[in-house]
């Protein structure tokens, strides 16, 4: 797979984080009590959680299917689902989920989808995903105050950081797409400053990369202007996608036989937690996500059950699908490699056949001249 060394380093770093997180969170916990809590869970609700996560990945695949079809690429939904699993896996093992989208573009290009269209597809999905995350967070904060009762102290600061970063990224992406002139001037000023203080060693290469990125965002802006209906559909799918993700702790809540809190209270807390930790420079937000879950959900699950609930919830929404997406990513890699070899063989045969046809034509032409 692409950037294999970096992938293994990411996995190693995440494994270390998992070990440290487990040691901290499980310190003082009785293994027998944890296992007893897990055993009493109703399996049908845990299965529902896995189905919700499959829907989460499937929503992104549906976004790619619609966008790529609009660009004239008759790609199947099954292949789009493969791209989404690749994105989930690589995003999970890279800080701030930075590696998922390039990996998806890479495998789209392996399927003869131009890299420019693949990058535009991922840019539109990322933009809508960011807006949907903000909509969920703002909606919960404004209309369901009971859901953010535990977001105080350190969690409150983390939420402020996450919301601020998300707003900054969204505004920045909108500026790059719809205000290219001011954006270019700001970026060139930043490049000049970095060059002056000798952080940037190759300013010309950086300017070329900047121009390339600005051109991609300009294409994205044109796509948005000419396809407002498509963008709204993708945004709606992202809202639904996040709703499925935020509902996973609710399925664990039901599996434990708890009924005191409503779906919106449980999903709302998870929405705020996701907004708080999604931009942390950690693979899969490992460590921060688990610790924040225990603190924020303690009043919902209870002190005795919150740690088992965290283990099962994160197991469903992250760790289980990390292994599933790894397997699917291997299958996608093997498929694209096999198809690339087949195309190369077909091109070689076609080239050889073309050479033979030309030789026969030259022979017949020479014979005709002799006659």
């Amino acid at each position: 797979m692409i950037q294999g060394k970096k992938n293994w380093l990411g996995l190693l770093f995440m494994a270390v984080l998992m070990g440290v997180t487990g040691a901290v969170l499980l310190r003082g916990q009785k293994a027998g009590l944890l296992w007893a809590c897990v055993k009493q869970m109703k399996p049908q609700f845990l299965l529902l959680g896995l189905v919700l996560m499959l829907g989460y990945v499937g929503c992104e695949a549906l976004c790619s299917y619609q966008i790529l079809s609009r660009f004239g690429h008759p790609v199947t939904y099954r292949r789009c689902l493969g791209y989404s699993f690749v994105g989930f896996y690589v995003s999970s093992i890279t800080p701030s989920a930075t590696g998922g989208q390039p990996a998806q573009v890479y495998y789209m290009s392996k399927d003869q989808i131009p890299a420019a269209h693949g990058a535009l597809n991922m840019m539109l999905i990322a933009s809508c995903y960011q807006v949907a995350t903000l909509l969920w967070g703002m909606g919960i904060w404004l209309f369901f105050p009971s859901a953010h009762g535990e977001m105080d102290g350190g969690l409150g600061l983390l939420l402020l950081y996450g919301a601020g970063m998300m707003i900054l990224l969204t505004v920045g992406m909108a500026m790059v797409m719809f205000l290219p002139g001011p954006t270019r001037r700001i970026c060139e000023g930043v490049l000049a400053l970095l060059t002056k203080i000798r952080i940037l060693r190759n300013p010309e290469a950086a300017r070329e990369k900047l121009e390339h990125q600005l051109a991609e965002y300009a294409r994205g802006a044109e796509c948005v202007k000419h396809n407002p209906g498509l963008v709204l559909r993708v945004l709606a799918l992202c809202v639904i996608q996040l709703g499925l993700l935020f509902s996973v702790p609710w399925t664990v809540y039901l599996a434990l036989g708890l009924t005191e809190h409503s779906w919106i209270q449980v999903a709302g807390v998870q929405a705020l937690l996701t907004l708080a930790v999604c931009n942390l420079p950690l693979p899969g937000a490992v460590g921060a996500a688990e610790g924040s879950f225990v603190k924020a959900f303690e009043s919902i699950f209870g002190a005795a059950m919150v740690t088992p609930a965290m283990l099962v919830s994160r197991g469903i929404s992250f760790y289980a699908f990390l292994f599933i997406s790894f397997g699917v990513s291997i299958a996608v890699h093997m498929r694209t490699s096999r198809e690339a070899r087949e195309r190369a063989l077909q091109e070689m045969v076609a080239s050889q056949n073309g050479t033979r046809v030309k030789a026969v034509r030259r022979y017949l032409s020479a014979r005709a001249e002799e006659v």
Side-chain angles (χ1 to χ4, degrees):
M1 296 176 67
I2 63 170
Q3 298 180 331
K5 186 175 180 180
K6 291 183 178 180
N7 286 348
W8 285 113
L9 289 175
L11 282 172
L12 179 61
F13 182 44
M14 187 171 64
V16 172
L17 285 176
M18 289 167 58
V20 173
T21 301
V24 172
L25 293 177
L26 299 179
R27 184 177 55 193
Q29 298 283 340
K30 295 183 179 179
L33 180 60
L34 290 175
W35 180 239
C37 289
V38 172
K39 282 200 303 183
Q40 78 175 42
M41 292 183 178
K42 300 173 183 177
Q44 64 269 29
F45 291 111
L46 302 182
L47 180 60
L48 176 60
L50 291 171
V51 172
L52 291 179
M53 282 306 299
L54 182 59
Y56 171 83
V57 178
C59 281
E60 182 184 303
L62 188 55
C63 290
S64 291
Y65 178 77
Q66 294 196 31
I67 295 171
L68 294 175
S69 297
R70 180 66 184 81
F71 291 162
H73 302 294
V75 62
T76 64
Y77 177 75
R78 182 179 177 181
R79 295 205 171 190
C80 291
L81 196 59
Y83 305 146
S84 295
F85 273 109
V86 168
F88 187 97
Y89 170 68
V90 182
S91 294
S92 298
I93 64 173
T94 52
S96 301
T98 53
Q101 294 178 11
Q104 288 175 277
V105 173
Y106 173 82
Y107 284 108
M108 288 177 191
S109 67
K110 287 286 190 178
D111 285 335
Q112 308 301 297
I113 296 172
H117 287 180
L120 182 54
N121 169 72
M122 298 314 306
M123 185 189 69
L124 290 175
I125 293 176
S127 302
C128 291
Y129 191 91
Q130 288 178 188
V131 173
T133 304
L134 281 174
L135 288 176
W136 266 97
M138 292 172 60
I140 294 298
W141 188 267
L142 293 174
F143 301 111
F144 300 96
S146 61
H148 56 76
E150 299 298 326
M151 302 298 291
D152 56 2
L155 282 182
L157 292 175
L158 197 59
L159 177 61
L160 185 63
Y161 162 80
M165 286 297 296
M166 188 65 73
I167 291 172
L168 185 63
L169 289 171
T170 303
V171 171
M173 189 169 288
M175 281 189 63
V176 171
M177 291 177 67
F178 300 107
L179 296 173
T183 301
R184 179 176 279 102
R185 289 192 291 272
I186 292 172
C187 291
E188 288 177 350
V190 172
L191 290 180
L193 176 62
L194 294 176
T195 303
K196 186 176 181 179
I197 61 179
R198 298 185 179 181
I199 293 178
L200 189 62
R201 301 295 180 86
N202 192 346
E204 291 302 321
R207 287 191 183 91
E208 288 182 8
K209 188 174 182 179
L210 171 63
E211 291 300 326
H212 176 71
Q213 292 296 324
L214 290 175
E216 285 191 359
Y217 279 109
R219 285 194 294 269
E222 289 300 313
C223 180
V224 170
K225 291 175 183 177
H226 291 92
N227 300 278
L230 174 64
V231 176
L232 290 176
R233 288 197 299 273
V234 172
L235 178 59
L237 281 170
C238 287
V239 171
I240 295 170
Q241 178 187 19
L242 286 168
L244 297 174
L245 176 66
F246 301 153
S247 297
V248 171
W250 171 245
T251 65
V252 178
Y253 186 79
L254 295 177
L256 286 167
L258 303 175
T259 57
E260 181 180 353
H261 297 276
S262 65
W263 165 78
I264 193 61
Q265 287 177 300
V266 179
V269 172
Q270 184 59 59
L272 295 177
L273 281 181
T274 299
L275 181 58
V277 304
C278 65
N279 285 306
L280 292 175
L282 297 170
V286 172
E290 288 81 0
S292 300
F293 187 105
V294 170
K295 188 176 188 307
F297 278 105
E298 185 173 356
S299 63
I300 292 177
F301 286 97
M305 291 188 176
V306 68
T307 300
M310 177 274 295
L311 293 172
V312 176
S313 181
R314 281 288 283 174
I316 293 172
S317 64
F318 182 71
Y319 296 106
F321 265 74
L322 177 65
F323 288 106
I324 293 172
S325 61
F326 173 73
V328 176
S329 298
I330 292 294
V332 170
H333 182 73
M334 293 176 64
R335 175 186 63 77
T336 54
S337 298
R338 183 186 69 251
E339 291 178 352
R341 291 194 298 270
E342 291 174 353
R343 282 194 298 269
L345 180 61
Q346 290 172 357
E347 290 172 1
M348 183 179 69
V349 171
S351 176
Q352 291 175 346
N353 289 339
T355 302
R356 292 193 187 100
V357 168
K358 289 179 181 178
V360 171
R361 286 177 178 172
R362 285 196 298 269
Y363 171 78
L364 294 176
S365 177
R367 291 291 296 172
E369 289 177 0
E370 290 177 3
V371 173

